[in-house]
Amino acid sequence: MAKRRLRSIKNKFQSDPKFKEDYTMFMQNLLEKGYAEPTPTDCESRKVWYIPHHGIYHKKKNKMTVVFDCSARYQGISLNDNLLHGPDLTNELLGVLIRFRGEQIAVLGDIETMFYQVKVPEAERDYLRFYWWENGNTENEPKIFRMTVHLFGATSSPSVCNYALQRTVEDSEEQFELEVQDMVKKNAYFDDCLASVATENKAISLVHNVTQMCKSGGFRITKWMSNSRNVVESIPEDYRAKEAKSWSLDSRPPIERALGVYWLIENDSLGFKIQVQNKPTTRRAKSVLQRLCKDGKGWDEEITGKDLKDWHDWLSQLPELENITIDRCYKKSNLGNVCSCQLYGFADASDVGYGMVIYLRLTNDSGQIICSFVLGKARVAPVKTVTVPRMELTPSASLVRLCKMVTEQLNYNIDETFYWTDST
């Protein structure tokens, strides 16, 4: 199976020299950096597995990535079928973003090739074998290589690598302050580390110490960016993001999102960038999903008539989302000392759907009040008809749970929470 897939790659090489050049460079880099190695000739392991691979280009960066297919099956079995998932140690994205909006100065760094920094025990590397040509010379017979590090796409990798990162923090507890530890332990999302602090000096110190702490565990944080020019200029050039103007939640392969939240650094706001994909008009349109479900439409059955018009109306309005931005930070720079912090939650429902929205109300010691949008959430109504009272109660109950989550995730002491609904 792995050899057959390799032959199809060779055929593509012959028709696309640029693809071959980029693919070969990626594989050569794996070997040079020790992420992969030739399989030892004296290896007599009886338990082995061969992983096929293929190359993809990042749509935005036009950069080649070779993906190892750990879900590929041979005789009904895949590597992922035999790997334990492990505990989910990934931080909740919503919580990371909520904390990222807490203070005036924001910083963000990228853990370079995070999974590749965590070694696989030597006795288990024969499960990660693959075929490749030595020096990329396709005229020769392919040789057997094996990975020495954890792979994107392997079921166990996220848990193992997140544990290694958190263990690095634990091993450094006596050397670094809690704020430094929290940036990795609580404010990392996959390979991104986000934080916000009150002053530029704190941010400069945080970037330096987090870099050093991660380095002690073999992790290298680069592509640092900030909304403060002074903070950016304090970072060595090799560790800065190159001319970065925005950061996106959809930047990590292999996940591709058509609708991603962006941090627009120049004006320090959160917004959207829209890429409307030209796809058939099927039931995969949330705006008309409820009605189509009731009509019994299949997932990939094309829609017509009024449903089609509603779908195109929704699609044509999507780009307008790019005109909507919100301030990243909940506070204004001149707010000063906050003496009161309250949450205000609103809930409402109709026969089509229901929604909730939460605002943060801050008051300083001079009596100045600032209200900031925290988050909103909307859901379509259940396909099965429910009573009006139950429909009104649903967003109210959901709002209470949502406010509880915000209170737990936000690094503010919430004095009071108020819930509002127009339902009687």
Side-chain angles (χ1 to χ4, degrees):
M1 177 266 292
K3 279 185 175 179
R4 187 176 68 249
R5 295 266 293 264
L6 192 69
R7 283 195 295 270
S8 68
I9 291 170
K10 183 177 179 179
N11 292 336
K12 189 168 183 180
F13 283 175
Q14 292 170 348
S15 62
D16 191 341
K18 179 69 166 63
F19 182 80
K20 179 183 179 181
E21 180 187 346
D22 293 341
Y23 206 116
T24 303
M25 191 179 297
F26 186 97
M27 298 299 274
Q28 197 62 33
N29 185 57
L30 287 184
L31 291 163
E32 288 175 359
K33 291 191 173 180
Y35 300 152
E37 64 184 9
T39 301
T41 54
D42 60 346
C43 183
E44 297 180 356
S45 173
R46 293 185 179 181
K47 293 185 177 181
V48 299
W49 190 257
Y50 291 84
I51 308 173
H53 47 85
H54 60 277
I56 59 171
Y57 281 102
H58 194 290
K59 290 181 180 179
K60 295 174 185 174
K61 300 176 184 176
N62 197 29
K63 185 179 177 183
M64 163 71 73
T65 299
V66 174
V67 178
F68 288 83
D69 188 357
C70 299
S71 296
R73 294 184 176 277
Y74 177 72
Q75 296 184 352
I77 299 170
S78 76
L79 176 64
N80 276 344
D81 290 340
N82 293 276
L83 292 174
L84 295 176
H85 188 281
D88 184 3
L89 301 176
T90 305
N91 288 313
E92 182 70 35
L93 175 60
L94 198 53
V96 171
L97 283 177
I98 286 172
R99 289 187 290 276
F100 184 56
R101 299 182 62 198
E103 298 293 344
Q104 285 291 314
I105 309 300
V107 293
L108 184 148
D110 174 83
I111 302 174
E112 189 176 73
T113 55
M114 176 178 164
F115 285 15
Y116 285 179
Q117 307 314 313
V118 184
K119 290 286 186 181
V120 172
E122 200 164 335
E124 297 176 7
R125 292 176 186 175
D126 284 308
Y127 297 113
L128 305 180
R129 289 186 177 190
F130 63 94
Y131 285 106
W132 181 245
W133 298 278
E134 196 168 18
N135 299 321
N137 187 350
T138 56
E139 299 301 316
N140 297 329
E141 282 295 308
K143 298 284 185 72
I144 301 172
F145 296 85
R146 63 183 188 179
M147 295 298 293
T148 65
V149 296
H150 288 269
L151 287 168
F152 293 97
T155 298
S156 56
S157 294
S159 186
V160 171
C161 296
N162 272 309
Y163 173 79
L165 185 62
Q166 292 190 15
R167 180 60 185 264
T168 297
V169 177
E170 291 173 11
D171 290 346
S172 307
E173 280 182 350
E174 295 181 2
Q175 298 170 256
F176 298 98
E177 296 177 352
L178 188 61
E179 194 171 43
V180 178
Q181 298 173 38
D182 281 351
M183 183 168 181
V184 175
K185 210 163 189 179
K186 294 182 179 179
N187 295 324
Y189 184 71
F190 285 99
D191 52 1
D192 289 320
C193 292
L194 303 75
S196 62
V197 292
T199 66
E200 289 179 334
N201 287 338
K202 276 190 174 183
I204 292 169
S205 174
L206 185 65
V207 168
H208 173 76
N209 287 322
V210 168
T211 302
Q212 293 303 310
M213 181 178 66
C214 289
K215 186 178 179 181
S216 70
F219 296 99
R220 185 171 185 260
I221 297 194
T222 60
K223 299 179 183 176
W224 282 105
M225 57 181 80
S226 173
N227 60 333
S228 163
R229 183 174 294 276
N230 290 335
V231 173
V232 172
E233 290 177 350
S234 74
I235 302 168
E237 283 194 26
D238 288 349
Y239 287 83
R240 295 182 203 168
K242 301 291 186 276
E243 298 180 356
K245 294 184 179 180
S246 67
W247 169 77
S248 166
L249 301 185
D250 61 0
S251 60
R252 286 170 295 279
I255 300 170
E256 288 292 339
R257 296 194 182 101
L259 202 64
V261 177
Y262 279 70
W263 175 30
L264 307 170
I265 298 166
E266 288 184 340
N267 58 5
D268 198 19
S269 63
L270 300 178
F272 297 96
K273 289 190 178 179
I274 310 301
Q275 295 176 345
V276 178
Q277 298 179 2
N278 186 19
K279 290 189 174 182
T281 47
T282 67
R283 205 185 82 171
R284 297 178 186 274
K286 190 175 179 182
S287 60
V288 291
L289 178 62
Q290 182 189 50
R291 188 165 68 238
L292 295 173
C293 286
K294 289 181 179 179
D295 293 342
K297 287 276 187 182
W299 272 115
D300 297 303
E301 184 180 347
E302 288 210 25
I303 58 178
T304 57
K306 185 178 183 304
D307 295 330
L308 182 62
K309 181 182 180 300
D310 290 347
W311 162 240
H312 282 302
D313 287 346
W314 176 79
L315 199 64
S316 66
Q317 293 173 36
L318 264 185
E320 294 179 21
L321 275 174
E322 291 196 352
N323 299 324
I324 299 173
T325 60
I326 59 169
D327 292 337
R328 177 201 56 81
C329 185
Y330 300 125
K331 301 176 180 177
K332 286 189 176 178
S333 56
N334 59 354
L335 186 61
N337 184 47
V338 174
C339 61
S340 174
C341 183
Q342 301 172 339
L343 284 182
Y344 283 72
F346 300 83
D348 200 7
S350 72
D351 57 349
V352 176
Y354 60 92
M356 300 80 68
V357 62
I358 299 173
Y359 290 88
L360 181 68
R361 184 180 187 269
L362 302 174
T363 308
N364 66 9
D365 46 18
S366 302
Q368 183 184 3
I369 296 171
I370 297 290
C371 290
S372 301
F373 171 77
V374 179
L375 64 89
K377 207 165 192 176
R379 290 287 183 267
V380 292
V383 175
K384 184 180 178 182
T385 304
V386 297
T387 62
V388 172
R390 181 176 291 277
M391 201 55 202
E392 294 283 5
L393 283 169
T394 300
S396 299
S398 298
L399 178 63
V400 172
R401 289 192 292 268
L402 205 58
C403 281
K404 183 173 183 288
M405 182 276 295
V406 171
T407 302
E408 291 170 351
Q409 298 290 346
L410 193 60
N411 285 335
Y412 290 0
N413 293 319
I414 305 297
D415 301 313
E416 292 180 286
T417 303
F418 298 90
Y419 302 98
W420 300 81
T421 174
D422 65 357
S423 171
T424 56

